[in-house]
Amino acid sequence: MKLRAPYENKKKKRYSDFKEYYVGELSFSSQQDAKKKLERYQTEACGKSRVWLLFASNDSENWECLQVAQSKNKVVDEIKDVIKYLYSKSDIDFASLDYKNSLFYEDVRPIPTSGFKYREILYSLIGKKYKDFKICFLDVDKYLKITSSNSNETDAERIIEICKNLYAEAKIAYETLAVYWMQYKSGVDGQTISYIGEHEEEFQ
């Protein structure tokens, strides 16, 4: 994989660099029963965090961050879909697909083809390329060093509550150079990446 020009000299952080910020973690391999993993997810990670990271490896030692995401209300459904597609034995011809840039890398994101959704293609591709996976759930307040009062009585407190998950998603995607991650340019995540680009010295 080739990093895009703006990120060629950036040193990315690894799975182990954030272990103190994971509020839950689901580890599994392509050789294990997907149904059992879904059940374990329901009991271990449900409701603990809105922000999650997908790491993958082929040697159980070197973990690559492939995706970061956040979901307000449907984290369970999102993770179910991810695991389902990682295990899928789809008949997608990945070699015939065209690929486009992610935010950090050149030509890695598969362009959807007829009959398949992007998420299905992406996670089926990941499931084909890797054998070991970790889905890690981020303790956003701890990661951002926020002391939450849960009162939301001031505008500053409300702004933090509204924006913190999207900001955390973008920040940790940048720090890990998550392979397939894309920002929503006009959203908080996109504005975060723009801010980081303009004030990179603050994030060293």
Side-chain angles (χ1 to χ4, degrees), residues 38 41-42 45-47 71 73-81:
L38 287 171
Y41 167 71
Q42 294 271 27
C46 179
S71 177
N73 299 315
K74 297 182 179 179
V75 178
V76 172
D77 292 340
E78 197 165 7
I79 297 300
K80 280 183 177 179
D81 280 349

Side-chain angles (χ1 to χ4, degrees), residues 117-133:
K117 296 178 181 178
Y118 172 72
R119 286 165 58 82
E120 180 177 2
I121 296 172
L122 174 62
Y123 292 111
S124 296
L125 173 64
I126 291 170
K128 186 178 178 69
K129 290 175 65 174
Y130 297 91
K131 66 178 185 179
D132 298 306
F133 305 97

Side-chain angles (χ1 to χ4, degrees), residues 35-162:
K35 185 177 179 181
K36 289 182 179 178
K37 291 301 162 183
L38 287 171
E39 291 171 353
R40 181 178 163 195
Y41 167 71
Q42 294 271 27
T43 58
E44 285 193 5
C46 179
K48 290 185 178 180
S49 176
R50 285 172 50 178
V51 179
W52 57 270
L53 301 87
L54 173 64
F55 292 90
S57 174
N58 281 316
D59 60 12
S60 297
E61 292 183 7
N62 298 295
W63 294 93
E64 186 80 43
C65 185
L66 302 183
Q67 187 64 292
V68 181
Q70 74 88 36
S71 177
K72 182 176 181 180
N73 299 315
K74 297 182 179 179
V75 178
V76 172
D77 292 340
E78 197 165 7
I79 297 300
K80 280 183 177 179
D81 280 349
V82 168
I83 294 175
K84 177 178 71 176
Y85 294 141
L86 287 173
Y87 278 91
S88 73
K89 305 296 182 184
S90 103
D91 56 359
I92 300 169
D93 182 2
F94 296 107
S96 69
L97 295 177
D98 292 321
Y99 292 80
K100 59 184 177 181
N101 295 346
S102 67
L103 182 64
F104 306 118
Y105 290 87
E106 294 183 359
D107 301 322
V108 293
R109 298 177 70 227
I111 297 174
T113 186
S114 178
F116 296 97
K117 296 178 181 178
Y118 172 72
R119 286 165 58 82
E120 180 177 2
I121 296 172
L122 174 62
Y123 292 111
S124 296
L125 173 64
I126 291 170
K128 186 178 178 69
K129 290 175 65 174
Y130 297 91
K131 66 178 185 179
D132 298 306
F133 305 97
K134 290 182 183 291
I135 296 176
C136 301
F137 301 88
L138 190 66
D139 184 331
V140 170
D141 286 358
K142 187 174 182 181
Y143 170 61
L144 297 179
K145 298 177 175 60
I146 294 172
T147 301
S148 180
S149 66
N150 295 316
S151 63
N152 298 333
E153 293 177 349
T154 69
D155 284 332
E157 290 172 334
R158 294 181 197 113
I159 289 168
I160 290 171
E161 187 62 28
I162 290 166

Side-chain angles (χ1 to χ4, degrees), residues 9-21:
N9 298 317
K10 180 178 179 344
K11 184 178 180 181
K12 63 183 172 183
K13 293 186 177 180
R14 301 288 182 175
Y15 157 79
S16 58
D17 293 321
F18 300 100
K19 288 198 76 171
E20 65 179 298
Y21 303 119

